[in-house]
Amino acid sequence: MFGASVKGKAGWLVTLLSAGGLVCALGTTAQAEYKPRASAPPLVLSPDLSNPWVVQIPRSQAKAVQNLRGSAKQKKKRTTSNRYSRRIPKQFLPTTVSYNTSHAPGTVVIDTTSRYLYLVQANGKARRYGVGVGRPGFEWAGVHKVTRKREWPDWRPPAEMLKRQPNLPRYMPGGPRNPLGARALYLGSTLYRIHGSNEPWTIGQAVSSGCIRMRNEDVAELYNMVPVGAKVYVR
């Protein structure tokens, strides 16, 4: 009986030692295979954020993606070009110039040939603005006084204009979409006005039905400096 007990203990001891050896072997193998991880490479952001994704997709699809990006860039370039083509030339932006005239300060002189409006100032100076003028067949010249002024004027096309363009609205309230723009100075008893425009890229051109067009910011400045009763020379 004692011998059987010794054998049982010896077997249990052998089993325990075998398990311990296996654990040690596994631990030794794991330690042998473990390698300290190298420090991460520096993060570099591509200026084109789509580049990393193009690299990761199949080569057969990468070309299609690159072509799509190229088309998008071309479209953006065309859109930008169209937008900048609507900028008015620099010479039609407001500026103060030397201006020799016999007209009194506060007089408005409009040169329809050069497409400039001059507000006469003291000391041989004038404030000059680019304007849009009447298209061929709608040119005119004369002398009038400013009879009234309106901020964000409403618009009622005259009968003559409705006859030429029957699709025009009969009435349009004042606002950014109104063709008279932000301000209007009415000339005498005529249908003509100096007014703003919702088409500022037409400044410097002959496109109107006889009215004098200005950029909204320019006509607002003029509006504040020209009183009712001021003389306006159109030539």
Side-chain angles (χ1 to χ4, degrees):
M1 184 174 180
F2 178 78
S5 176
V6 171
K7 284 183 179 180
K9 290 182 178 180
W12 176 83
L13 182 59
V14 170
T15 302
L16 182 61
L17 291 174
S18 298
L22 179 61
V23 171
C24 290
L26 290 174
T28 304
T29 303
Q31 289 180 355
E33 291 178 353
Y34 174 77
K35 293 181 180 179
R37 185 165 48 180
S39 59
L43 179 63
V44 179
L45 292 179
S46 167
D48 186 344
L49 296 181
S50 65
N51 272 337
W53 309 111
V54 173
V55 171
Q56 295 179 38
I57 65 175
R59 184 173 297 179
S60 59
Q61 297 180 18
K63 186 175 181 180
V65 173
Q66 289 172 347
N67 289 340
L68 183 62
R69 287 163 48 203
S71 299
K73 288 180 180 179
Q74 288 296 326
K75 183 177 180 181
K76 182 179 180 181
K77 184 177 181 181
R78 288 195 299 269
T79 302
T80 303
S81 177
N82 290 339
R83 182 171 71 249
Y84 283 107
S85 68
R86 288 191 166 192
R87 286 185 174 179
I88 68 172
K90 290 183 179 180
Q91 67 264 29
F92 294 122
L93 296 177
T95 185
T96 299
V97 297
S98 297
Y99 191 70
N100 295 320
T101 180
S102 59
H103 298 307
T107 302
V108 175
V109 180
I110 300 170
D111 186 337
T112 57
T113 301
S114 62
R115 318 283 165 76
Y116 287 130
L117 180 152
Y118 297 89
L119 174 60
V120 179
Q121 298 177 332
N123 302 318
K125 300 290 184 180
R127 187 69 171 160
R128 189 185 74 185
Y129 305 90
V131 296
V133 299
R135 62 183 181 272
F138 292 87
E139 306 97 332
W140 65 280
V143 182
H144 294 284
K145 288 185 178 181
V146 176
T147 50
R148 59 192 177 106
K149 299 162 55 177
R150 291 289 182 273
E151 297 185 11
W152 295 107
D154 54 14
W155 182 49
R156 291 180 172 82
E160 297 88 343
M161 184 177 290
L162 289 172
K163 187 176 181 179
R164 294 191 305 270
Q165 299 172 270
N167 293 330
L168 289 176
R170 269 49 183 174
Y171 169 78
M172 183 177 289
R177 300 183 64 181
N178 190 304
L180 297 186
R183 303 288 187 273
L185 291 78
Y186 295 79
L187 304 180
S189 58
T190 72
L191 298 175
Y192 300 127
R193 292 152 288 207
I194 302 170
H195 63 76
S197 177
N198 58 2
E199 298 178 331
W201 56 88
T202 62
I203 301 305
Q205 302 179 37
V207 292
S208 78
S209 296
C211 286
I212 306 301
R213 294 184 181 186
M214 302 179 71
R215 297 192 312 164
N216 280 336
E217 52 266 58
D218 296 346
V219 76
E221 181 178 286
L222 185 73
Y223 183 95
N224 291 331
M225 294 189 291
V226 174
V228 170
K231 279 191 174 183
V232 179
Y233 292 81
V234 180
R235 61 191 187 193

